[in-house]
Amino acid sequence: MTRATKRVEVLTEVAGGTTAIVLLFAVGIMLLPFLLVFQWGMSHDLLVPLLAVAWLLQLGGFALLYFGRPAMVSRSGVILTGLFVLAQVLTLVNGTVLGLDIHIRDVVNVPARATSLIVYVGLLSMSRFSRRGLRVFSYGFLAFSVVACVYNLAHGWEAIGAFGTTQSSYSLQFRSFFPNRNQFGAVLFLSLVTHVYIVVMARRVRTWNVAILALQLVSLVLTLSRGALLASIVFGGILVMPALVRTAFRVLVTLSLVVFGAVVAVGAREQISNWLTYVFRPEVGATGRTEIWEVGIGVWENHSVLLGTGYYTGLDIAAADGFEYGQFHSLYIDALVDGGVVGLSLLMATLIFVARRVYTSRIEGGLKRVWIASFVAVLLLGTVESVAFFSIGFVDTLFTTFFVGLPLLLSNLAPQRGGSVRDW
């Protein structure tokens, strides 16, 4: 009996559709505080308390999912949780020894991160899932993104008319109901992932798929979020290019599209030039990111290379020197500031553990390839955006759900009858 077979035999029995709803609830409830503050005008002072309440409600959803069931917790989840907690405690102790003013949110992050690890890595990795659950999650998240796209177009319709005439991309804020356009771009990138899951499971493309894809792509372009655009291009490229080169006919189609695109580009070079200027924003280079990264690296190098300072403590240190941002705009620099080399290593070890579980699972090749493509894309996105995992917040919940919880559930899917690792 193989290790995978043994793992399947001891999985906790939970309804796939119910699990998917809980995951969607976990993402949605963490967005609500930002809607209340940034869209509906509640005091900014209430944001942190509202996030705490939303996080507790999120945990309540998971508690209901496992209520009355003899839930199994993976040994790997327990080990990773213990290592994370130990590393964070050592970071706080080290910061105290160094005389740093430890931010309260770094203290709160210790139990919060431990709880998230137990839930997403410990429990979900040992829970049964189904294709119905994947469909519920994918359709639910796709519907959520469509609402966001429609809202974005409805509230930014007049700004679209100024798209080709404005002198600064910063005057264009196509962010739907999210706090900023980078978060909206991240949601759109992930909605493309769920859309492809739907197509792969259906094994055909319908008219509504094309219509929604067009809406997603238009909205993604309007965000002018370079990180999300790059992640989406990488994701699509990994999926599409192997399929396009299988036959001479598909290669011919590709060349024809390139020629057609070149003709269109020549005819509309001015408009395309304007759009590229807005997207790449050469007037600001890396949009100040190189300077931001230098500040983050400086905080890390000047205090504790091995253990870091704690994320929010590091931001306070940077702010004392005039730093005006609330993040360092890089997953890897954020992790180094937060927990040093030890913290970044543990995060990478967790992601590698998840990737290995998916890669060695028995799910058919189509679904596996979609997740691997999205995983590579998000690692690239993390170089220029503050992709986050396991802490309290909307972004943390979003990426933890997509790249820890959901893939561990997918690794427990039984192979589809008639399926093949070469599917799609």
Side-chain angles (χ1 to χ4, degrees), residues 26-343:
V27 173
I29 197 65
M30 295 309 298
L31 177 61
L32 183 58
F34 292 97
L35 294 179
L36 292 173
V37 172
F38 293 100
Q39 291 295 125
W40 298 327
M42 293 185 69
S43 172
H44 282 61
D45 295 336
L46 294 175
L47 181 59
V48 173
L50 287 172
L51 283 171
V53 172
W55 185 73
L56 291 175
L57 291 173
Q58 178 190 106
L59 291 184
F62 284 110
L64 289 175
L65 178 64
Y66 291 98
F67 182 76
R69 294 183 174 90
M72 301 293 297
V73 179
S74 73
R75 182 174 58 182
S76 299
V78 173
I79 293 173
L80 286 170
T81 300
L83 290 174
F84 263 103
V85 169
L86 176 61
Q88 286 184 289
V89 170
L90 289 175
T91 296
L92 297 179
V93 171
N94 183 63
T96 302
V97 171
L98 293 175
L100 301 179
D101 186 9
I102 305 298
H103 197 289
I104 185 62
R105 292 183 69 175
D106 286 326
V107 178
V108 172
N109 258 346
V110 177
R113 188 166 290 170
T115 305
S116 295
L117 279 159
I118 284 293
V119 170
Y120 283 94
V121 180
L123 285 172
L124 294 184
S125 67
M126 298 299 292
S127 299
R128 194 176 298 280
F129 202 48
S130 66
R131 280 169 181 74
R132 180 176 180 274
L134 180 57
R135 289 189 185 93
V136 170
F137 180 84
S138 298
Y139 275 104
F141 195 84
L142 184 62
F144 166 65
S145 72
V146 169
V147 171
C149 289
V150 172
Y151 181 92
N152 181 59
L153 294 176
H155 285 259
W157 191 254
E158 293 182 0
I160 294 176
F163 196 82
T165 59
T166 184
Q167 297 299 311
S168 174
S169 64
Y170 289 98
S171 63
L172 302 173
Q173 287 294 329
F174 296 100
R175 59 183 178 86
S176 188
F177 42 69
F178 297 92
N180 57 67
R181 62 185 175 189
N182 288 328
Q183 285 192 15
F184 183 32
V187 168
L188 289 172
F189 157 59
L190 295 176
S191 74
L192 289 172
V193 176
T194 57
H195 198 167
V196 177
Y197 277 136
I198 291 170
V199 171
V200 169
M201 286 186 288
R203 301 198 178 195
R204 58 177 175 173
V205 178
R206 299 182 176 89
T207 303
W208 68 264
N209 292 121
V210 177
I212 290 180
L213 178 61
L215 178 64
Q216 290 173 295
L217 294 178
V218 168
S219 299
L220 184 61
V221 169
L222 288 176
T223 66
L224 300 177
S225 174
R226 294 182 289 184
L229 284 164
L230 179 61
S232 300
I233 291 171
V234 170
F235 170 66
I238 293 174
L239 289 178
V240 173
M241 289 311 296
L244 288 179
V245 298
R246 285 178 184 171
T247 65
F249 174 75
R250 287 175 177 174
V251 172
L252 179 61
V253 169
T254 303
L255 292 175
S256 300
L257 289 174
V258 170
V259 173
F260 176 75
V263 172
V264 172
V266 171
R269 59 183 180 274
E270 182 176 351
Q271 291 80 1
I272 293 175
S273 176
N274 287 339
W275 177 76
L276 291 175
T277 299
Y278 300 146
V279 172
F280 292 104
R281 302 193 282 283
E283 74 279 4
V284 293
T287 324
R289 273 170 170 69
T290 52
E291 292 80 7
I292 293 172
W293 296 336
E294 287 176 0
V295 172
I297 291 173
V299 171
W300 166 60
E301 287 182 333
N302 295 331
H303 291 86
S304 178
V305 171
L306 189 63
L307 296 171
T309 62
Y311 181 68
Y312 294 100
T313 302
L315 284 175
D316 284 347
I317 294 171
D321 291 330
F323 188 67
E324 299 177 350
Y325 301 93
Q327 55 191 11
F328 296 110
H329 282 291
S330 171
L331 163 66
Y332 309 103
I333 295 177
D334 286 348
L336 287 172
V337 172
D338 184 21
V341 173
V342 172

Side-chain angles (χ1 to χ4, degrees), residues 346-422:
L346 285 174
L347 176 60
M348 291 297 103
T350 304
L351 295 178
I352 290 171
F353 164 75
V354 174
R356 183 176 179 276
R357 276 285 296 264
V358 175
Y359 186 76
T360 59
S361 68
R362 298 184 298 164
I363 61 174
E364 61 268 25
L367 295 177
K368 185 179 294 186
R369 186 147 59 95
V370 173
W371 186 82
I372 291 174
S374 67
F375 181 65
V376 173
V378 83
L379 290 180
L380 183 60
L381 176 63
T383 61
V384 295
E385 295 293 350
S386 287
V387 175
F389 297 90
F390 302 121
S391 299
I392 299 175
F394 171 68
V395 172
D396 298 80
T397 300
L398 186 67
F399 286 103
T400 303
T401 298
F402 268 87
F403 295 101
V404 180
L406 185 62
L408 288 176
L409 287 169
L410 289 177
S411 70
N412 293 331
L413 280 176
Q416 189 173 14
R417 292 181 180 179
S420 166
V421 294
R422 298 182 181 275

